[in-house]
């Protein structure tokens, strides 16, 4: 599909038609792995997002269900690693990147309010883990499901992903609620061993969404 074209389920081949249970969250494809939803624009991270990384990863409130807040130096190191991976993707080497990260921009204010990304393990490009971090002021607006739902669709339709994993703290009930809305399934027998071990060791919950599961709940 050409860049900047409006996205519509009518434009998908018949085998990729989502069902009509929920509206599609993806509205536009943009240049260079960008895409948009009704209220948000997802663009690849760039050099201007270093301060955003610091605000997210060094904030105790944002990190409370993830781990200990990072120091500024640690956050900067994580940002440079993520940025180098995204540069590889934008240079045409997306299939060899370990992860890709997008800044989440609120269209009304044009402010970056968070980041989200996909991580691949090993050579299997059909399996990716998804994650999202939002600034506290973005809470209460249903942005997580809008942003992540759009990324899921983009991964399925543009990146060749067929299964998406999500891992989160068992006590993070808000995340559990919105991943269920996005069609994630909690089935330990269908998850990789690493996910189930992590769940037991760190009191984490693991779930997955296959492309056909996602379409069947759409």
């Amino acid at each position: 599909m050409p860049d900047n074209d409006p996205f519509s389920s009518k434009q998908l081949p018949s085998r990729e038609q989502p069902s009509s249970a929920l509206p599609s969250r993806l509205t536009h494809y943009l240049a260079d792995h960008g895409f948009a939803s009704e209220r948000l624009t997802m663009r690849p991270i760039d050099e201007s997002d270093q301060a955003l990384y610091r605000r997210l990863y060094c904030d105790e409130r944002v990190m409370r269900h993830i781990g200990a807040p990072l120091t500024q130096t640690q956050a900067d190191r994580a940002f440079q690693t993520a940025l180098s991976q995204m540069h590889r993707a934008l240079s045409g080497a997306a299939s060899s990147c370990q992860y890709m990260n997008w800044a989440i921009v609120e269209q009304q204010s044009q402010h970056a309010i968070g980041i989200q990304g996909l991580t691949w393990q090993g050579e299997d490009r059909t399996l990716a883990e998804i994650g999202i971090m939002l600034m506290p002021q973005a809470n209460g607006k249903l942005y997580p499901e809008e942003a992540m739902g759009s990324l899921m669709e983009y991964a399925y339709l543009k990146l060749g992903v067929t299964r998406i994993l999500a891992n989160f703290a068992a006590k993070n009930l808000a995340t559990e609620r919105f991943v269920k809305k996005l069609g994630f399934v909690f089935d330990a027998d269908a998850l990789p061993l690493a996910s189930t071990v992590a769940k037991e060791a760190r009191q984490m919950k693991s779930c997955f969404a296959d492309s056909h599961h996602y379409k069947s709940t759409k």
Side-chain angles (χ1 to χ4, degrees):
M1 187 178 297
D3 292 336
N4 300 317
D5 272 4
F7 177 89
S8 168
S9 62
K10 295 180 180 178
Q11 296 171 294
L12 298 178
S14 58
R15 65 183 178 84
E16 293 184 337
Q17 288 281 351
S19 73
S20 58
L22 290 172
S24 173
R25 292 174 174 83
L26 184 63
T27 60
H28 289 76
Y29 294 118
L30 304 173
D32 297 327
H33 286 296
F35 52 97
S37 62
E38 181 180 356
R39 299 176 295 167
L40 304 170
T41 297
M42 272 57 68
R43 59 164 178 77
I45 58 169
D46 60 32
E47 288 80 1
S48 69
D49 296 312
Q50 184 167 355
L52 175 63
Y53 254 68
R54 289 178 179 176
R55 292 198 300 272
L56 290 167
Y57 280 97
C58 299
D59 187 294
E60 185 174 351
R61 181 179 175 186
V62 174
M63 295 290 289
R64 68 189 184 280
H65 293 309
I66 302 172
L70 302 185
T71 65
Q72 182 172 302
T73 299
Q74 290 171 327
D76 288 348
R77 188 180 303 120
F79 172 72
Q80 291 300 326
T81 301
L83 186 62
S84 67
Q85 289 281 309
M86 207 63 197
H87 281 167
R88 289 181 62 185
L90 295 177
S91 68
S95 62
S96 64
C97 293
Q98 182 182 356
Y99 41 86
M100 297 174 67
N101 286 278
W102 290 262
I104 303 168
V105 179
E106 187 179 50
Q107 293 173 7
Q108 184 176 20
S109 67
Q110 288 299 300
H111 292 153
I113 59 170
I115 56 172
Q116 64 177 344
L118 297 168
T119 302
W120 288 267
Q121 300 292 338
E123 300 298 322
D124 186 359
R125 303 298 296 183
T126 67
L127 177 67
E129 183 175 345
I130 198 167
I132 186 170
M133 299 174 72
L134 291 174
M135 297 297 295
Q137 59 266 34
N139 292 337
K141 301 179 181 180
L142 302 180
Y143 283 159
E145 47 262 57
E146 181 174 337
M148 190 180 287
S150 299
L151 177 53
M152 290 170 69
E153 291 182 64
Y154 187 80
Y156 292 143
L157 298 175
K158 288 293 189 177
L159 299 177
V161 173
T162 59
R163 172 168 286 192
I164 296 176
L165 307 177
N167 297 293
F168 57 93
K171 61 185 177 181
N172 191 345
L173 300 180
T175 294
E176 182 171 355
R177 284 193 295 270
F178 85 74
V179 295
K180 286 181 177 178
K181 291 180 182 179
L182 293 174
F184 279 85
V185 177
F186 292 79
D187 183 355
D189 292 336
L191 291 167
L193 179 61
S195 294
T196 57
V197 170
K199 174 183 175 182
E200 294 173 359
R202 296 183 288 153
Q203 296 185 324
M204 303 287 286
K205 285 192 174 182
S206 299
C207 53
F208 71 94
D210 286 347
S211 54
H212 68 274
H213 284 149
Y214 189 73
K215 292 165 194 169
S216 70
T217 62
K218 288 289 288 176

